[in-house]
Amino acid sequence: MIAAPNQEEIALRLVVARGLIAQAGELAARCFADIASLTVTSKGPQDMASEADVQVETLIRDGLKAAFPTDAFFGEETGAAALDGAAVVWVVDPIDGTQPFLSGLSSWCISIACVVGGTIELGLVLSPPTHDLFVARRGFGSTLNGRPIQPHPGRTLGDGITSLGYSARVPGPVIVAVLDRLLAGGGMFYRNGSGTLSLCHVACGRLLGYVEPHINSWDCLAAILIITEAGGRTNDFLTGDALLKGNRIVAGPAAVYDALAALLEP
Ligand code: IPD
Ligand code: CA
């Protein structure tokens, strides 16, 4: 078993991850400027990947491997590497919001989380189209482009906009019922096609809340730390086999958390 990193070693990982997400952002932005030239493959209904997703993930994975050879890696496109016995797992989504990206819309981002012994220690999310960089380190707060952020001050569903995450992994009627409950509770819905970016919008108060019946760990781990370090609340996502199989997600200000969680209850 490899020893867990101390705080100094976690701080070093943040420096390296910042450098890599900036490089990854430049690569992804170049691909976005020339979408028509990308080879696109279908992974399932409404679930695409392009060579941009793979290239960006490879850049991040190789950079982390070079800096921290004993750390494990789990990415949306290339899967898991060296998970057994690893003290540190990097969880990466190279382009979250692939459908918006391939459609020429700006709601996509890059997400990097660093997990140590089941605890999220670092979360970084970069939106290349808007140059928004969200960063959180456990115990040190969350920032957007270097400035501290807070969630929405609302106290009820009626006080702001709630994003409903949805993928074809979930039967359609499930999300229709969630929408019904949101409207009955005085809320308003939103979906931009990137769970990660929407969760970051919750962290900085642009959105009131976010709920999704099933989301993968690479889509939300970095953003979960960004929300909780900003003072917001999420469910305990990393229970059971959620790292590998995903889980539901509920996120928002503490005052509205119970109302948001109830949206996912039949
Ligand atoms: C998806 C998006 C979507 C969310 C799904 C994800 P992708 O990731 O984040 O908003 O609802 O759960 O799978 O396919 O754009 O990387
Ligand atoms: Ca994703």
Side-chain angles (χ1 to χ4, degrees):
M1 185 74 185
I2 299 156
N6 60 30
Q7 285 300 316
E8 206 176 313
E9 290 162 334
I10 288 172
L12 177 61
R13 281 169 170 78
L14 177 55
V15 172
V16 170
R18 271 182 188 277
L20 286 172
I21 207 166
Q23 285 178 43
E26 284 169 19
L27 172 58
R30 283 199 299 278
C31 295
F32 189 59
D34 194 11
I35 304 169
S37 73
L38 299 173
T39 306
V40 179
T41 49
S42 171
K43 297 193 288 180
Q46 294 284 334
D47 190 7
M48 320 295 280
S50 76
E51 56 190 303
D53 300 69
V54 178
Q55 283 175 18
V56 172
E57 183 162 315
T58 303
L59 182 155
I60 298 169
R61 190 194 58 197
D62 291 355
L64 291 171
K65 181 86 188 151
F68 309 108
T70 58
D71 289 2
F73 183 88
F74 185 44
E76 172 161 14
E77 306 304 335
T78 63
L83 276 185
D84 282 350
V88 177
V89 183
W90 293 93
V91 183
V92 169
D93 193 341
I95 295 178
D96 184 61
T98 300
Q99 285 281 35
F101 176 95
L102 291 174
S103 306
L105 295 164
S106 60
S107 51
W108 57 273
C109 62
I110 300 167
S111 176
I112 301 179
C114 180
V115 181
V116 180
T119 299
I120 312 166
E121 293 288 346
L122 302 173
L124 300 92
V125 174
L126 174 66
S127 158
T130 60
H131 305 288
D132 278 352
L133 175 64
F134 297 86
V135 177
R137 178 176 167 198
R138 190 172 67 86
F140 291 80
S142 290
T143 57
L144 165 54
N145 296 334
R147 296 189 176 178
I149 50 175
Q150 293 85 35
H152 197 287
R155 306 193 66 79
T156 73
L157 290 177
D159 292 334
I161 310 166
T162 295
S163 180
L164 301 187
Y166 178 71
S167 75
R169 298 184 298 275
V170 171
V174 171
I175 198 69
V176 173
V178 174
L179 172 59
D180 225 15
R181 288 190 282 270
L182 176 65
L183 298 181
M188 183 46 70
F189 62 91
Y190 178 88
R191 181 182 186 275
N192 69 4
S194 168
T196 308
L197 199 54
S198 300
L199 287 163
C200 288
H201 291 329
V202 172
C204 67
R206 293 169 179 161
L207 289 173
L208 177 72
Y210 185 91
V211 298
E212 180 163 356
H214 177 271
I215 192 166
N216 286 305
S217 61
W218 52 73
D219 292 318
C220 67
L221 289 191
I224 284 175
L225 186 67
I226 292 166
I227 291 172
T228 54
E229 283 295 318
R233 183 171 167 195
T234 74
N235 57 317
D236 185 11
F237 181 86
L238 271 182
T239 52
D241 57 3
L243 177 71
L244 298 177
K245 298 277 171 63
N247 197 351
R248 64 174 49 188
I249 182 79
V250 178
V256 194
Y257 180 84
D258 288 346
L260 289 164
L263 297 176
L264 293 184
E265 297 302 331

